[in-house]
Amino acid sequence: MAWKQNIIEDFKQLVSFDSISFHERNTADWLLARLKSMGFSVEEDQAGAYYGGDTGNIFAVLDGELEGDPVIFCAHMDVVEPGSGKKSVLEKDGTIHSAGDTVLGADDISGILEILYGVQLVLDSGKPHKKIEILFTIGEELYVKGSDVFDYSKVTAKQAYVLDLSGAVGDAARRAPSIISVRAEIRGKAAHAGFEPERGIHAIAVAAEAVTRLSMGHVDEDTTFNIGTINGGTATNIVPDSCVVTGEIRSYDHSKALEYVKNTEKIFAEEADKAGATAEVTHQVHLVAYETPVESRTVKDFLKACEKTGLPGTLTETFGGSDNNSFAKHGIEGLVLSCGMYQAHSTNEYTKIKDLYDGAELIRTLIEL
């Protein structure tokens, strides 16, 4: 059928656009035109201006003839680096990958096109449908920055399907973690390391003592903790008077994540006090954990749609964030659906034509339920 060739051509065109976070203008303009041609009422918000970017979130609404609560579909427009000058290569077996020097951008162009073509299949069928809402976001790769500032009073849907999960179409993640970054700044005292090191307070040594007391990796069944960077000192012959340590906490239990923040503060304060230094620990909550119940309507509808389309309907979880964290924070029940992206965030990223087809059919079925 014609749409199956068209979705491939559209995929190749969209991934060719440079669409780094906060610079999604080309992708957005293409989507604005396409959505309007499909009959959607479309608006672009001021999220780009808020972050100093060139593009806002796109919110689109298509009224329907049937009564009942609508659902909202979501995917993000930005890609990670290296993502400029992307070129796609279509293999005979239906695999699409990049030329090898950039990411492909299936994360999240696959999701975008599966939504658009799922809706188009419904429209082409001529069947009546419920109201449809779509949100295409900016800055998702930077801790869901776009969806974090979106005005959710515009949304009437109570169910969300976010297409942004690796793997073959037919899987859905129903829970995701809180993600919190931590930063510790230790202040010691500089001194000449050769002539009078005893007069100094070694900030890096203080940091090292604190780090050795922190549990890292899988610290419990719900939580991981990692110290990722340590920076300090100015020269090899100077006792360093400052050191900055950064890390990240992820947990399916938000209260646990905050407990690990407090424990980090305590340990750095104790080690600084021992040495006569000071420590300031700050943190930033990027995402708040959620879990969508198995008995929820969103899960039941997903499983029913998978059964109708012959997909596995596997429920799973993710330890990464997505725009669904934002929906959950605003009381909208959701799932993150796999959309056929593989080895995302690498130059080995690829997708499969079959996933594009299956994803569009799944969206179509979810709309028609």
Side-chain angles (χ1 to χ4, degrees):
M1 291 180 285
W3 76 269
K4 290 190 171 183
Q5 183 58 41
N6 291 341
I7 196 172
I8 297 170
E9 295 305 316
D10 283 343
F11 181 89
K12 291 160 65 176
Q13 181 175 14
L14 278 177
V15 296
S16 73
F17 295 156
D18 290 346
S19 198
I20 303 301
S21 301
F22 303 142
H23 298 285
E24 303 94 340
R25 187 72 264 158
N26 289 336
T27 301
D29 287 343
W30 189 97
L31 288 170
L32 289 167
R34 174 61 68 89
L35 288 163
K36 289 174 183 177
S37 73
M38 294 170 69
F40 279 88
S41 172
V42 187
E43 59 180 283
E44 181 178 341
D45 70 11
Q46 295 300 308
Y50 182 86
Y51 292 114
D54 59 18
T55 315
N57 299 307
I58 295 175
F59 181 59
V61 178
L62 183 64
D63 289 327
E65 304 85 1
L66 299 180
E67 296 295 325
D69 294 330
V71 295
I72 184 167
F73 299 101
C74 177
H76 62 85
M77 295 182 282
D78 61 321
V79 302
V80 297
E81 294 279 18
S84 298
K86 301 186 300 299
K87 296 179 181 179
S88 60
V89 178
L90 174 59
E91 301 290 354
K92 292 181 179 179
D93 65 356
T95 299
I96 307 176
H97 57 82
S98 76
D101 55 347
T102 68
V103 298
L104 173 62
D107 178 11
D108 200 17
I109 296 304
S110 291
I112 287 174
L113 288 175
E114 287 163 24
I115 292 170
L116 290 179
Y117 274 85
V119 173
Q120 191 63 59
L121 288 172
V122 173
L123 299 181
D124 290 346
S125 74
K127 295 179 181 179
H129 59 82
K130 294 182 293 186
K131 181 182 179 183
I132 301 169
E133 297 179 338
I134 296 175
L135 178 63
F136 291 135
T137 61
I138 66 166
E140 189 276 343
E141 298 290 5
L142 303 177
Y143 294 118
V144 303
K145 287 294 192 291
S147 63
D148 189 49
V149 298
F150 179 69
D151 180 3
Y152 289 85
S153 68
K154 299 176 183 296
V155 178
T156 61
K158 301 302 180 185
Q159 296 172 257
Y161 292 102
V162 177
L163 280 74
D164 192 18
L165 187 67
S166 293
V169 174
D171 292 350
R174 65 181 189 89
R175 74 168 178 164
S178 293
I179 301 179
I180 302 176
S181 60
V182 292
R183 180 182 187 275
E185 183 172 359
I186 299 89
R187 289 289 178 182
K189 182 181 178 182
H192 195 289
F195 293 108
E196 47 184 9
E198 65 280 355
R199 294 175 64 89
I201 300 175
H202 204 295
I204 294 177
V206 173
E209 291 293 337
V211 170
T212 59
R213 291 179 57 190
L214 293 170
S215 297
M216 281 183 271
H218 285 279
V219 295
D220 62 44
E221 67 276 10
D222 293 320
T223 312
T224 61
F225 183 57
N226 183 61
I227 293 297
T229 70
I230 299 179
N231 293 288
T234 57
T236 58
N237 63 346
I238 301 174
V239 174
D241 64 351
S242 68
C243 182
V244 175
V245 178
T246 64
E248 181 190 79
I249 300 165
R250 296 191 183 210
S251 182
Y252 287 128
D253 185 325
H254 189 64
S255 62
K256 280 186 179 181
L258 294 176
E259 288 175 7
Y260 280 103
V261 170
K262 289 183 179 179
N263 185 57
T264 302
E265 293 172 347
K266 176 176 176 291
I267 287 174
F268 273 97
E270 289 175 350
E271 293 302 325
D273 188 59
K274 288 178 186 178
T278 61
E280 180 182 6
V281 179
T282 57
H283 72 277
Q284 182 177 0
V285 177
H286 299 288
L287 298 169
V288 176
Y290 69 87
E291 182 170 352
T292 302
V294 173
E295 64 274 13
S296 67
R297 180 179 175 185
T298 306
V299 170
K300 290 179 179 178
D301 283 354
F302 166 73
L303 295 176
K304 187 185 300 182
C306 285
E307 183 178 3
K308 285 179 174 289
T309 52
L311 294 168
T314 304
L315 297 176
T316 184
E317 57 196 27
T318 177
F319 217 52
S322 76
D323 289 320
N324 201 45
N325 287 78
S326 296
F327 283 120
K329 186 168 66 173
H330 289 85
I332 300 171
E333 178 184 279
L335 289 174
V336 187
L337 307 187
S338 56
C339 55
M341 60 173 84
Y342 303 89
Q343 298 188 39
H345 293 200
S346 80
T347 55
N348 295 319
E349 183 186 12
Y350 67 96
T351 191
K352 300 176 182 178
I353 291 174
K354 183 180 184 302
D355 285 305
L356 297 177
Y357 299 161
D358 287 346
E361 292 286 2
L362 179 59
I363 298 303
R364 172 187 185 172
T365 307
L366 286 167
I367 295 170
E368 292 179 343
L369 286 178

